[in-house]
Amino acid sequence: MPKLKTNRAAAKRFRRTASGGFKRNQGYRRHILTKKSTKRKRQLRSPSLVDKTNVAMVNRLLPYA
């Protein structure tokens, strides 16, 4: 059986947590930041978890994570 390839785009975006889920960063923080409130920008800094419906897909993209 050959080795599986890791999807490099996914490897840069997701990190596995100790419980088997995946952390991801949130979008909407790249540009046009002047009209966004400080509270909104601060909350976008914290990583969120990948939804449980998508965990299986991310597992396939990152077989060795």
Side-chain angles (χ1 to χ4, degrees), residues 1-6 63-64:
M1 186 79 187
K3 291 181 183 177
L4 297 173
K5 284 200 171 184
T6 296
Y64 304 108

Side-chain angles (χ1 to χ4, degrees), residues 11-49:
K12 294 167 189 173
R13 288 166 172 77
F14 303 109
R15 297 280 175 260
R16 188 179 293 278
T17 62
S19 62
F22 288 94
K23 284 195 305 189
R24 65 172 181 83
N25 285 325
Q26 299 188 55
Y28 299 101
R29 241 196 116 231
R30 291 291 180 187
H31 61 100
I32 315 176
L33 298 173
T34 52
K35 64 173 71 170
K36 294 175 182 129
S37 70
T38 307
K39 177 182 179 180
R40 183 172 164 194
K41 290 185 282 191
R42 182 175 63 247
Q43 288 174 340
L44 288 171
R45 267 187 238 140
S46 62
S48 58
L49 293 177

